[in-house]
Amino acid sequence: MRGPATRIDGFLPMVRARAAQQLVKIDLKALETLRQRFESLERVLLNAVLHAIKRFIKELSELVRLGSLLPAVGAVAEIRGNESMARLTGGQVAHSPIVRPAADGCNQYSRRMTASLYYDDPSLVAFSAAVVSAAEEDDGQARVILDQTAFYPEGGGQPADRGVLAGATVIDVKKSPEGIVHLLKRPKDVTEWPPREGSEVHGEVDWDHRRDYMQQHSGQHVLSAALLDVGDYNTVSVHQGEEYTTIEVDSPEISSADLREVERRANDAIEADLPITAETVHESNINSVRLRRPPKVSGDIRVVRVGSMDCVACGGVHCERTGQIRLIRLVGVETIRGHVRTAWKIGDRALRHFAEASEITGALVAELSAKPQEIVQRVRQLGERVKGLEYEVRGAKQREYDLVTRSLLEDSEPDRGQRVITAEFTDEASDYIRGLAEILVEQTGVCACLTNRADDRLYWCVGVAAGARFRFEDAKADLLSLIAAKGGGRPPIWQGVGAADGDVQGFLAEFKRRAEQS
């Protein structure tokens, strides 16, 4: 099957040479006719042949656009109808960066040094490319620029692609004036690092990650268009997170009815399977395009359309049709900076969200012995019962505190206006002895040291009430060293945690001795 593709590849130099010798004028209508013929042939031609034909047409059209067909007379060919050309040349792979004469007579790369295969074919995940430059960083990572790449660089709110390049994990992908930079993590036991300039490397894009964010970005366009159409809500900020996508609008509130309508229209657009297309429009002609919002860039502006529903300047990678978004679901609403911010599950995330919600619903149905529509009411009833029980528990706990502190006070003897109390508890709640200390220090002259061994820890608490002679701060370091304890506080209560096997008896006895001698 390589025969037809090889013959067509060999035909390209001949066409270029002949075009350079003759003043060739490309007729856009003829190109459009070719496009229509290739679309009809696409169903029957083998992929290799069709791929080579499309590549030939794109390279020829690029040469015309750049004026390189007429180098002898310095003429520049002009091609209009960017939308038709984008459809005609979509899905092809460029094998080298486009070169054109520079003003000083030297060759230079075109504005995009690295050919963007992710625009030509968003579904392309495996590719080969030549290394234009490579440099190793101090941490061993490598910065690599290729002549072409299928890795999308971070931009427009869409995260960079993940994957593997030259056997190394792709950590990040960013745009730079020199081209698209791939940041690679050095593999173990590598013999040549970084990849040698001029060498051919193979790359594989993480398709699950790419597809996820294609769904997020395309779904966001659909939602922003629906928000504008439903209530004139303009999108002011977007974040494509790992769990959900958020859209902030320029309104302090959105009614529940409007949000339901936005979600309905978004899913109607998915069901309609609208085409998602991209074209390049120069800034001088951008006013002729009805955009949802003014562009933030100048020069050649990439415009993304979602059928007749939305049209906006965007540099992201998108689904080919809205049906590939699959599903959109609202999962949250909040107010921030005086604006409403909505959170959405889009694409496969929305399907997983429904699966998880169904699983939870099923578990609640079984646990509560209720129908799905009865769950909310049952949970509310349980909540009221829990509140009642919590109130009862607090009352019982307070009564217990009163009884225990009364017993501690009765068992202690006052000495010159000071009453020293020590007590040891086991397996109580972590805040138990703190609660007792708070009641004890309400009594004038009380010095209390309490411990509670629970959860393989030793909790301690000291309370010194007003009128007591003992100064715990002066003895704190010596006392805590007996149980290898840490902690702090300020009058009248200190607390902390000591070693589980600490000498509790020695700690309490020393506290009592020092307090009584104060």
Side-chain angles (χ1 to χ4, degrees), residues 317-334:
V317 180
H318 290 270
C319 301
E320 294 180 350
R321 306 189 70 87
T322 56
Q324 295 172 347
I325 301 172
R326 306 189 75 184
L327 186 65
I328 291 177
R329 176 66 174 166
L330 177 68
V331 294
V333 183
E334 63 179 342

Side-chain angles (χ1 to χ4, degrees), residues 221 276-282 286 289-291 295 300-306 310-315 318:
H221 279 221
I276 302 176
T277 59
E279 61 177 315
T280 301
V281 179
H282 192 267
I286 199 65
V289 182
R290 187 177 180 182
L291 298 175
D300 289 335
I301 301 172
R302 187 169 184 267
V303 175
V304 173
R305 299 179 187 270
V306 180
D310 188 52
C311 182
V312 69
C314 178
H318 290 270

Side-chain angles (χ1 to χ4, degrees), residues 466-484:
R469 299 185 304 275
F470 180 55
R471 294 179 55 84
F472 176 67
E473 288 285 3
D474 296 340
K476 177 182 174 183
D478 292 339
L479 289 171
L480 294 186
S481 65
L482 298 174
I483 53 173

Side-chain angles (χ1 to χ4, degrees), residues 4-234:
T6 303
R7 288 197 295 274
I8 291 174
D9 286 345
F11 184 61
L12 293 178
M14 181 183 70
V15 172
R16 293 194 186 97
R18 183 171 300 175
Q21 296 171 4
Q22 303 177 15
L23 299 181
V24 178
K25 183 177 180 180
I26 301 301
D27 187 348
L28 287 179
K29 291 184 178 180
L31 289 175
E32 179 64 15
T33 301
L34 282 174
R35 182 192 67 80
Q36 295 174 356
R37 290 179 180 175
F38 291 147
E39 285 182 346
S40 64
L41 286 171
E42 190 171 9
R43 292 187 297 270
V44 295
L45 288 178
L46 294 173
N47 289 336
V49 177
L50 181 61
H51 181 76
I53 292 174
K54 286 183 176 180
R55 192 177 74 233
F56 157 64
I57 293 174
K58 179 177 181 188
E59 292 191 3
L60 184 59
S61 64
E62 283 287 333
L63 289 170
V64 173
R65 184 177 68 82
L66 296 173
S68 58
L69 280 176
L70 305 173
V73 295
V76 178
E78 181 178 2
I79 293 184
R80 296 183 176 88
N82 291 324
E83 181 176 5
S84 297
M85 190 58 69
R87 291 197 303 267
L88 178 60
T89 60
Q92 64 285 351
V93 176
H95 289 275
S96 61
I98 302 299
V99 179
R100 56 174 164 180
D104 59 359
C106 300
N107 285 340
Q108 64 178 12
Y109 286 110
S110 66
R111 184 175 62 85
R112 287 191 309 177
M113 251 183 93
T114 308
S116 306
L117 304 182
Y118 48 82
Y119 282 153
D120 298 335
D121 184 0
S123 64
L124 180 67
V125 294
F127 70 101
S128 295
V131 177
V132 174
S133 68
E136 185 174 3
E137 303 288 297
D138 293 338
D139 57 4
Q141 297 176 353
R143 292 169 55 88
V144 177
I145 297 178
L146 307 175
D147 65 338
Q148 60 179 14
T149 184
F151 285 97
Y152 177 76
E154 180 182 3
Q158 185 167 341
D161 278 335
R162 301 172 182 169
V164 177
L165 178 63
T169 300
V170 178
I171 300 174
D172 199 4
V173 188
K174 293 184 178 295
K175 295 178 182 178
S176 77
E178 295 78 23
I180 296 176
V181 178
H182 307 73
L183 187 62
L184 308 182
K185 180 180 180 181
R186 179 168 184 159
K188 295 181 180 179
D189 303 325
V190 67
T191 57
E192 184 180 55
W193 188 258
R196 179 172 44 84
E197 292 184 10
S199 63
E200 183 176 287
V201 294
H202 181 72
E204 292 189 9
V205 177
D206 182 338
W207 173 243
D208 290 338
H209 182 268
R210 161 74 70 80
R211 182 171 182 269
D212 179 24
Y213 283 100
M214 286 168 61
Q215 289 178 332
Q216 302 310 307
H217 208 154
S218 298
Q220 177 262 307
H221 279 221
V222 169
L223 284 166
S224 291
L227 283 162
L228 185 64
D229 191 43
V230 169
D232 201 27
Y233 304 116
N234 290 287

